[in-house]
Amino acid sequence: MEAQKNSEKIPAHVAIIMDGNGRWAKLRRLPRVQGHLEGAESARIVADACIDEGVGFLTLYAFSTENWARPREEVEFLMAQITKYLAENREEMRERGIRFRAVGRTERLPHQVRKEIEVTENCTAQAGELHLQMALNYGARSEIVDACKKLCSEACEGRLGVQEIDEAAIGRRLYTAGIPDPDLLIRAGGEMRLSNFMLWQLSYSEIYVTDTLWPEFRAPHLRLALREYARRERRFGSVEGEGQQISRGEA
Ligand code: IPE
Ligand code: IPE
Ligand code: MG
């Protein structure tokens, strides 16, 4: 009974802002890129831990639309690292039942990264244990702009009536179409901000910020966050005990 109660409190979708790689490296007098390497290991471990804990969807913020402003060498390193990560891990992802998908303005990523994304998405397409979304060249505002453009062109072409535009219609045109909204947002590295991450989808997510820097964030840290989530009472604007998310369209 207790186990059943607990399993009901496991978030279906966890989204993570993987922050603090640079600070982790600086504390150890290492180059920032060393922090990114160790951070990639955290991503791999946390994805596995999500499977063990019964989380069905995981979104990892890996590169934002603002991150292009970093020094050229760091951006190049990150692009090469993402390419390598996908090439080296896709087989294991498939074996572990991880279905990979990239979200963001991926068409603007370097050719090599796009190619690895495509191969990895195809290679893991039949997996269903964990839906792993990696936010790459992702910005929530760009995502909303892109959704608006889709709605407008469909309306202009007469394929969509203005009265049909509701929350669900917008949701279906976001990069995350078909994926439930995150129940839990985790931010590593202690910053109290969203940094342009999933502004639409996080409307009613529980927020958990930890000072732990991402390269140190591993399975025990995930379990702590899940335990904290299980203690939260989600009210969705209602009153104690009655909290239930209204379905899109009833708003
Ligand atoms: C997050 O770590 C990784 C990316 C944004 C790609 P940072 O590189 O932002 O690390 P800090 O915040 O400088 O410590
Ligand atoms: C957010 O971290 C983006 C990713 C983790 C990919 P940043 O380090 O870029 O965010 P700010 O600059 O602290 O807002
Ligand atoms: Mg940062």
Side-chain angles (χ1 to χ4, degrees):
M1 186 63 198
E2 194 53 35
Q4 192 188 349
K5 215 164 127 196
N6 283 342
S7 73
E8 281 168 15
K9 292 285 245 173
I10 294 287
H13 183 175
V14 174
I16 307 184
I17 301 177
M18 309 188 287
D19 196 23
N21 295 354
R23 278 164 284 165
W24 179 90
K26 196 172 173 200
L27 279 170
R28 286 158 183 78
R29 297 177 198 282
L30 296 167
R32 287 179 58 83
V33 296
Q34 201 61 40
H36 297 317
L37 284 173
E38 206 51 37
E41 187 58 11
S42 293
R44 208 182 54 75
I45 291 169
V46 167
D48 271 356
C50 280
I51 296 176
D52 297 340
E53 298 298 327
V55 172
F57 297 85
L58 172 67
T59 303
L60 297 174
Y61 202 7
F63 192 89
S64 75
T65 47
E66 286 72 30
N67 288 149
W68 296 107
R70 295 190 175 205
R72 191 169 58 88
E73 307 77 64
E74 183 170 343
V75 170
E76 281 174 3
F77 181 89
L78 285 166
M79 291 302 146
Q81 187 188 25
I82 293 160
T83 307
K84 193 161 169 263
Y85 182 90
L86 294 177
E88 285 178 357
N89 286 290
R90 65 174 150 257
E91 202 48 50
E92 197 187 316
M93 281 192 226
R94 195 173 59 82
E95 281 164 18
R96 286 285 275 150
I98 298 176
R99 180 172 185 166
F100 173 87
R101 175 172 156 186
V103 289
R105 283 190 173 162
T106 52
E107 68 281 4
R108 304 206 184 160
L109 289 165
H111 170 76
Q112 203 56 34
V113 181
R114 291 198 323 264
K115 204 182 104 194
E116 296 302 335
I117 287 173
E118 195 189 334
V119 177
T120 309
E121 285 180 344
N122 290 337
C123 165
T124 62
Q126 302 308 317
E129 199 73 29
L130 176 74
H131 291 251
L132 169 64
Q133 307 187 94
M134 201 165 279
L136 293 168
N137 193 23
Y138 175 90
R141 289 186 171 191
S142 321
E143 180 181 36
I144 293 169
V145 167
D146 289 348
C148 289
K149 284 181 179 165
K150 284 182 204 158
L151 288 168
C152 286
S153 51
E154 288 171 43
C156 288
E157 289 162 15
R159 290 186 283 127
L160 178 77
V162 173
Q163 297 310 322
E164 292 172 65
I165 301 176
D166 56 14
E167 292 188 16
I170 294 175
R172 281 195 298 274
R173 285 152 184 92
L174 297 175
Y175 308 142
T176 53
I179 303 287
D181 289 342
D183 300 290
L184 173 66
L185 168 72
I186 298 173
R187 180 160 189 151
E191 307 290 2
M192 297 285 183
R193 54 179 172 253
L194 291 177
S195 303
N196 201 13
F197 188 46
M198 300 184 97
L199 300 181
W200 176 276
Q201 299 89 334
L202 292 172
S203 295
Y204 252 111
S205 310
E206 294 299 317
I207 299 175
Y208 176 89
V209 177
T210 171
D211 286 333
T212 304
L213 303 169
W214 179 248
E216 280 175 347
F217 192 105
R218 300 287 159 97
H221 304 87
L222 177 78
R223 284 196 291 272
L224 263 184
L226 296 181
R227 206 176 305 154
E228 165 68 23
Y229 172 84
R231 277 199 290 267
R232 302 269 180 98
E233 193 205 341
R234 304 182 76 186
R235 288 190 288 277
F236 299 107
S238 183
V239 290
E240 205 177 334
E242 300 291 324
Q244 200 185 91
Q245 193 160 22
I246 50 166
S247 61
R248 297 256 176 260
E250 278 179 49

